[in-house]
């Protein structure tokens, strides 16, 4: 990627830049009830159900949290309470960046405009973005796109708003299932995988791997 100068570097936000600590929320809610092995399975299932909830027509992210948590509880034999889903949803805007993010973004922002494409609500996302400490050219949400990633519609909305195509950007994410698989399908050749341990490597999708955002400038040849 060192020979490519993108017009924009686009990012997933929650998980890649923001420490999207759903696992800790699950532990806070059900840690007393579940064994460690059962908790690990609960967290894995909840991750999968959140993705599944994002695949249909757009609905408020509060519904994504509610429905996915309810389904996970049912699968794992745990009592579901709607107020637990509300608690999780209201935590999201309080979460801040991974420790490597602020300095890493600052280096890149001096050279290339930064853009966020997030599975978020308009009312919540800026609370997270403000904690990143970097200037963003644009912040786009699933609510604006009327679709969640990994649906192509979310990315296509971003392209339309930026007036560019997949050949013009480098897309950076810690998730294959939400971002990098779709980026591959859409023809985004310049992909950067931030290996935060969420998912295993999958070289088929063609990307530059970095361990955290401190390596982003180097991956872009800056």
């Amino acid at each position: 990627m060192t020979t490519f100068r993108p017009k924009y570097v686009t990012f997933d936000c929650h998980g890649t830049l923001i420490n999207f600590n759903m696992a800790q929320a699950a532990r806070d809610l059900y840690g007393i009830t579940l064994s460690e092995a059962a908790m690990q399975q609960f967290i894995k299932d909840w991750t999968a159900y959140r993705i599944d909830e994002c695949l249909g027509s757009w609905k408020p992210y509060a519904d994504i949290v509610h429905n996915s948590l309810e389904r996970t509880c049912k699968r794992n034999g745990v009592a579901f309470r709607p107020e637990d889903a509300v608690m999780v949803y209201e935590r999201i805007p309080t979460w801040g960046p991974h420790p490597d993010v602020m300095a890493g973004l600052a280096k890149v922002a001096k050279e290339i405009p930064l853009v966020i494409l997030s599975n978020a609500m308009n009312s919540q996302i800026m609370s997270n973005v403000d904690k990143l400490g970097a200037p963003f050219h644009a912040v786009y949400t699933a609510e604006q796109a009327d679709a969640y990633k990994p649906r192509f519609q979310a990315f296509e909305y971003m392209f339309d708003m930026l007036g560019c195509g997949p050949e013009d950007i480098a897309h950076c994410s810690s998730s294959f299932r939400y971002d990098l698989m779709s980026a591959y399908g859409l023809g985004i050749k310049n992909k950067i995988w931030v290996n935060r341990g969420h998912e295993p490597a999958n070289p088929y999708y063609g990307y530059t791997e970095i361990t955290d955002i401190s390596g982003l400038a180097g991956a872009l040849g800056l």
Side-chain angles (χ1 to χ4, degrees):
M1 285 190 59
T2 56
T3 60
F4 176 68
R5 179 82 168 202
K7 292 181 179 178
Y8 304 98
V9 183
T10 61
F11 295 87
D12 166 62
C13 185
H14 293 150
T16 302
L17 303 179
I18 293 293
N19 184 9
F20 196 61
N21 210 348
M22 288 291 196
Q24 186 58 52
R27 291 183 182 279
D28 292 345
L29 287 169
Y30 309 113
I32 297 177
T33 305
L34 298 174
S35 68
E36 179 57 27
M39 177 58 68
Q40 291 288 345
Q41 186 62 49
F42 187 98
I43 291 168
K44 180 180 178 181
D45 292 343
W46 194 17
T47 298
Y49 279 122
R50 289 199 306 275
I51 293 172
D52 186 65
E53 285 289 330
C54 288
L55 296 177
S57 299
W58 183 87
K59 51 183 174 274
Y61 198 74
D63 292 355
I64 300 284
V65 174
H66 181 285
N67 295 350
S68 63
L69 186 58
E70 184 174 25
R71 294 168 72 188
T72 304
C73 287
K74 180 179 179 181
R75 181 169 178 175
N76 288 270
V78 176
F80 171 74
R81 301 186 309 164
E83 57 265 34
D84 291 340
V86 173
M87 180 276 286
V88 173
Y89 179 73
E90 291 179 348
R91 276 193 185 186
I92 293 172
T94 72
W95 289 333
H98 294 285
D100 53 275
V101 167
M102 295 178 70
L105 289 179
K107 291 180 184 178
V108 178
K110 295 176 183 178
E111 304 290 337
I112 304 172
L114 310 181
V115 174
I116 281 175
L117 178 63
S118 179
N119 278 358
M121 297 292 290
N122 298 340
S123 61
Q124 286 195 334
I125 187 61
M126 292 314 298
S127 180
N128 298 121
V129 172
D130 288 345
K131 295 177 177 67
L132 298 175
F136 280 87
H137 172 78
V139 176
Y140 302 121
T141 68
E143 184 176 4
Q144 294 167 346
D146 200 33
Y148 287 100
K149 298 178 297 178
R151 293 189 60 202
F152 285 7
Q153 181 178 329
F155 291 89
E156 290 166 337
Y157 173 82
M158 178 178 70
F159 295 147
D160 289 345
M161 296 302 293
L162 292 174
C164 72
E167 69 280 3
D168 297 317
I169 70 168
H171 189 66
C172 179
S173 177
S174 61
S175 175
F176 290 96
R177 296 180 73 181
Y178 279 111
D179 285 85
L180 298 178
M181 291 170 67
S182 296
Y184 177 89
L186 283 163
I188 301 174
K189 296 184 182 299
N190 298 283
K191 299 176 289 295
I192 301 167
W193 177 46
V194 186
N195 185 357
R196 299 220 182 265
H198 305 321
E199 301 170 19
N202 195 332
Y204 175 84
Y205 292 103
Y207 51 83
T208 298
E209 179 179 347
I210 58 177
T211 57
D212 59 43
I213 299 299
S214 68
L216 181 58
L220 294 167
L222 301 178

